[in-house]
Amino acid sequence: MEAEAADSPPGGVKAALSCFSFNQDCTSLAIGTKAGYKLFSLSSVEQLDQVHGSNEIPDVYIVERLFSSSLVVVVSHTKPRQMNVYHFKKGTEICNYSYSSNILSIRLNRQRLLVCLEESIYIHNIKDMKLLKTILDVPANPTGLCALSINHSNSYVAYPGSLTTGEIVLYDGHSLKTVCTIAAHEGTLAAITFNASGSKLASASEKGTVIRVFSVPDGQKLYEFRRGMKRYVTISSLVFSMDSQFLCASSNTETVHIFKLEHLTNNRPEEPSTWSGYMGKMFMAASNYLPAQVTDMMNQDRAFATGRLNFSGQKNICTLSTIQKLPRLLVASSDGHLYVYNLDPQDGGECVLIKTHSLLGSGTTEENKENDLRPSLPQSYAATVARPSTSSASTVPGERSLTQPKGEMLLLLSLLLALQRALPRLSAEGRETSPVPSALGH
């Protein structure tokens, strides 16, 4: 949940922040700048409270806070090989450690502190900062990609196990032994993260099209989500909600994707009698006749909800948090802003931007201009989620707008073409194909 911001992002907007990270339980946001660092509380939508700020260390590029405690870890470009640990309420330095090369990332829980270099990982006992283990057999990891379970009762560690493929090494931070390796993706890893309990691990490759979730510690695949069909993207953050019901991914595009972790049971209710529902059932019935790559794509779940950003190409991180008893999507961007959205946990759909906070001002906030044009609404959950429709297409209650499921229609059409190509080959092999044409004929 941390990002180092590039000086000149592809979008052409110069980064105001050098780094930014949410803490382990998503109750606090830390930012680093040329002047120092700041810590903010995320307990309110309307107001962003600065908890602490320091200009003692300039040019900060890593800042991590341990939950809502006073312990903060800072790394500066002036001394990129040195980690400084502070108790900011007392204004004292707890310790500092120097390493053989530049520090690329730091991860914390209540028992372990992880320091990731390009070719090694150091595991400290956070209570006395004693070095417990140095993992030296790490493939070159220039981005410092690694993850630590925030549940200190297991303290699992995950890091890339290969330079060329998406292999993940799962390591036990308690016993200090390798648990297993997971063949997560064909391409190189871009993001990995644990859920709050440390029972699940999510990953994305550099292509950014497919996100997978595995069980911990056995490494079995549980879910597979498709972020996009064709466009490759750079995943900048991947995070579970604290209750593990949702998984959120942001990238260098203008869309944040939220996936819902739920398995459909065999006793699920009948699908609504819509065109897309009928076609979906037909393709699932015909999946035995399709090539494996096509059936894999059919089994991938699409985004449950999305958040639209007013920019692309800027470094950003996202998180899902409950603020004032309602679920929120939070996105921090390298341009120095925090964007707050409402998330509908029942129906999903497009998240509503309700607040924009400046992270570089004096605690002032910027109201979303669209909200100024709306009448005041009663403070119920439905009211906070509702958004007036701007579409000219008419919709009937209980039906979906014909303009909404464009992605689904394109997916179904592509599956039709794949099915059309596959049938002659399967027929030549002597397999039974009659059920599929009869289904297509109805």
Side-chain angles (χ1 to χ4, degrees):
M1 290 185 286
E2 174 201 355
E4 181 179 353
D7 290 333
S8 298
V13 178
K14 185 174 177 60
L17 307 181
S18 55
C19 65
F20 35 93
S21 64
F22 293 105
N23 68 341
Q24 295 80 5
D25 58 2
C26 307
T27 59
S28 177
L29 172 66
I31 66 169
T33 66
K34 295 289 184 181
Y37 70 91
K38 295 179 181 180
L39 306 176
F40 298 94
S41 170
L42 300 175
S43 59
S44 170
V45 170
E46 297 299 321
Q47 186 173 347
L48 190 65
D49 294 322
Q50 181 174 317
V51 176
H52 175 68
S54 174
N55 294 329
E56 294 182 6
I57 299 182
D59 210 4
V60 171
Y61 74 94
I62 293 177
V63 55
E64 293 284 346
R65 184 184 183 186
L66 179 62
F67 289 91
S68 297
S69 72
S70 299
L71 189 148
V72 62
V73 182
V74 181
V75 182
S76 168
H77 277 300
T78 58
K79 294 182 179 180
R81 299 185 178 187
Q82 180 173 301
M83 173 186 69
N84 301 87
V85 183
Y86 296 100
H87 189 292
F88 65 80
K89 285 188 178 178
K90 294 181 179 178
T92 58
E93 182 181 79
I94 298 174
C95 65
N96 64 73
Y97 274 79
S98 295
Y99 302 88
S100 58
S101 61
N102 290 356
I103 300 171
L104 300 179
S105 63
I106 288 175
R107 300 289 181 263
L108 307 167
N109 66 26
R110 290 190 172 97
Q111 187 178 64
R112 296 290 184 254
L113 186 151
L114 208 69
V115 180
C116 186
L117 313 184
E118 184 169 355
E119 295 183 341
S120 58
I121 296 175
Y122 293 79
I123 302 176
H124 293 264
N125 181 11
I126 203 167
K127 293 181 179 179
D128 55 14
M129 290 306 298
K130 179 182 177 181
L131 178 62
L132 301 176
K133 180 73 174 182
T134 304
I135 306 174
L136 296 174
D137 55 342
V138 176
N141 184 12
T143 63
L145 180 61
C146 65
L148 173 66
S149 167
I150 69 171
N151 182 1
H152 61 278
S153 64
N154 54 47
S155 291
Y156 286 115
V157 178
Y159 60 90
S162 171
L163 279 170
T164 56
T165 66
E167 182 181 274
I168 302 173
V169 176
L170 184 63
Y171 190 89
D172 191 328
H174 273 305
S175 63
L176 304 177
K177 295 179 181 178
T178 299
V179 177
C180 68
T181 58
I182 303 171
H185 302 271
E186 293 182 1
T188 309
L189 292 171
I192 47 178
T193 187
F194 288 99
N195 67 336
S197 65
S199 62
K200 295 181 178 66
L201 175 69
S203 65
S205 71
E206 288 186 345
K207 290 182 179 180
T209 54
V210 175
I211 296 169
R212 297 188 172 102
V213 179
F214 303 90
S215 60
V216 174
D218 56 20
Q220 296 299 309
K221 187 173 73 172
L222 300 176
Y223 304 91
E224 188 167 278
F225 303 106
R226 176 162 289 276
R227 196 215 57 82
M229 288 290 291
K230 295 182 178 179
R231 184 169 59 162
Y232 292 172
V233 301
T234 302
I235 300 291
S236 56
S237 67
L238 190 62
V239 61
F240 287 92
S241 60
M242 291 301 294
D243 60 7
S244 300
Q245 291 188 27
F246 301 97
L247 179 65
C248 183
S250 68
S251 65
N252 59 338
T253 70
E254 65 282 355
T255 306
V256 178
H257 293 79
I258 300 171
F259 305 95
K260 194 168 186 178
L261 280 69
E262 60 179 359
H263 277 305
L264 298 177
T265 64
N266 293 329
N267 297 324
R268 62 179 177 175
E270 286 293 317
E271 299 265 353
S273 56
T274 61
W275 180 83
S276 60
Y278 168 77
M279 294 296 286
K281 294 173 89 174
M282 185 203 71
F283 277 118
M284 293 307 294
S287 61
N288 290 332
Y289 300 92
L290 295 172
Q293 290 181 338
V294 178
T295 57
D296 285 347
M297 184 170 64
M298 288 170 59
N299 292 327
Q300 290 166 352
D301 292 325
R302 306 301 293 263
F304 169 75
T306 56
R308 302 291 177 183
L309 306 176
N310 59 2
F311 59 84
S312 62
Q314 295 181 33
K315 193 75 174 180
N316 65 80
I317 58 172
C318 62
T319 195
L320 297 168
S321 182
T322 300
I323 301 177
Q324 295 171 313
K325 300 181 180 181
L326 293 176
R328 319 284 186 177
L329 165 66
L330 306 179
V331 182
S333 172
S334 62
D335 66 357
H337 290 89
L338 174 67
Y339 303 91
V340 183
Y341 297 77
N342 276 338
L343 166 65
D344 184 340
Q346 280 78 42
D347 298 326
E350 186 169 344
C351 299
V352 180
L353 176 63
I354 57 171
K355 201 75 174 179
T356 302
H357 294 281
S358 171
L359 299 172
L360 298 174
S362 56
T364 58
T365 61
E366 302 169 14
E367 185 75 31
N368 179 18
K369 292 181 179 179
E370 290 187 15
N371 290 343
D372 297 336
L373 303 178
R374 301 179 200 163
S376 59
L377 297 173
Q379 292 302 307
S380 65
Y381 179 77
T384 61
V385 174
R387 184 173 195 172
S389 174
T390 57
S391 173
S392 59
S394 61
T395 57
V396 179
E399 290 189 2
R400 301 174 66 182
S401 168
L402 292 177
T403 62
Q404 184 177 348
K406 290 182 179 178
E408 294 179 9
M409 293 175 67
L410 290 174
L411 176 61
L412 291 173
L413 288 173
S414 66
L415 292 174
L416 270 172
L417 292 173
L419 182 62
Q420 186 178 17
R421 297 192 199 100
L423 286 176
R425 176 178 59 81
L426 296 175
S427 179
E429 293 174 357
R431 295 186 59 177
E432 178 69 22
T433 58
S434 57
V436 178
S438 63
L440 288 171
H442 285 300

